Amino acid sequence: MSKKISTKLIHTGDGQYYKKLNTYKSVPEVLPVYNTSVFAFDDVPSVDAIYDKEAEGYIYTRIRHPNNDAVSSILAAADGAEDGVVFSSGMSAITISILAAVSSGDHIISSPVLYGGVHDYLQNELKRFGVEVIFVDFNRDNIEKYIQPNTKLIYTETICNPLLEVPDICKVSEIAKKHNLLFYIDNTFATAIVARPLELGADVVIYSATKYLSGHSDIVAGAAVGRTDIIEKIRSKLVLYGAILGATDSWLLARSLRTLDLRVKKHSENALKVAEFLEKHPKIEKVFYPGLKSSPDFERAKSQFQNGLYGGMLSVNLKGGEKEASIVIKSMPEIKYVPSLAGTATTVSYAAKTSHRFYNREDLEKCGITFGQLRFSIGLEDADDIIEEIDTALEKI
Ligand SMILES: *Cc1c(COP(=O)(O)O)cnc(C)c1O
């Protein structure tokens, strides 16, 4: 008896079509998007074999799926890592990677100038789980002095937000190894094109892939790469907390990564030109950019970064405060006030009012974040046009 229409509509051309495709002599030039929440099996032993790691295969998309694995492997390759995993946001990559490393009663040493959300997590949220965090200035203080018997993790950023300071990654790695601690580093501002902290001894490199890795301001994602044993632990927490990046966004991220090298080189070249121009500008009190020879971070950055590149982020202290910052922001028609970074377009942000809004005054001051400070994410436009627009706006103050 022929099947009824509702049945035909449901089963014709379903996932089983994949078996036919697998016999073809051609494969797609680009990995397609696997928009499926789950996978189908012919029999019970097949599922058992996958769970028991006797066979390869996918089961359920929250656990693993092809697009996530593919993009994770690109990121691991870029950083020279054994393994990697891609999350639904930078924050989930960071919080879950940390949760994989510490338990109640443990202690973390972190630098104080961090992405605002991470600072909040370390300072307030982890306390609720009995994890203690001490904030130490990695460049001015001896972090070894703060290691306790319960210290498990050292955490910092390759280029700290928003003052673009650069820690001595090799030195921190040595200390971590000597005391058998894990060393995690957020490499969002640098990317593997500018810095490869794993090669300098870090254990895990973490990213907000929302920024340069995706690079077009169109998705939110995060990643962690490192040794297989640590990434496996992190992956098991990712599965538990349900923070895997979905198929479509994983595919978009993979597409963006094909041009990461080109993009970050151009971001960096443009940023250096803008930084050199602003350094001589009469309305600017100070420029923060690790690629400037006058920067206190220059030597550290030069010796640890690749190919004379220093990234696309720079901050400035205007001669003035909130009023002047507001005038400059309002006077740039194409450079938009965007509380994020690393897209193709140059944007400006105001740390004291956005990413670091929830720091109290005292912490802001301690970190050197002021109300006359602007942070630029230098885009892929022509450098001369970027400079002219900022220059015209600075003339208004
Ligand atoms: C944006 C950012 C994060 C947070 O990432 P999301 O993708 O927004 O969750 C973490 N660290 C740094 C350095 C960032 O710039």
Side-chain angles (χ1 to χ4, degrees), residues 47 62 69 83 104 132-133 136 177 195 329 362:
V47 180
R62 174 166 50 73
D69 277 355
D83 203 359
S104 172
E132 238 188 298
V133 183
V136 180
K177 287 208 172 30
I329 289 172
E362 195 192 322

Side-chain angles (χ1 to χ4, degrees), residues 201-217:
D203 294 298
V204 176
V205 166
I206 306 184
Y207 290 104
S208 166
T210 313
K211 315 297 166 52
Y212 290 110
L213 303 187
S214 63
H216 294 72
S217 309

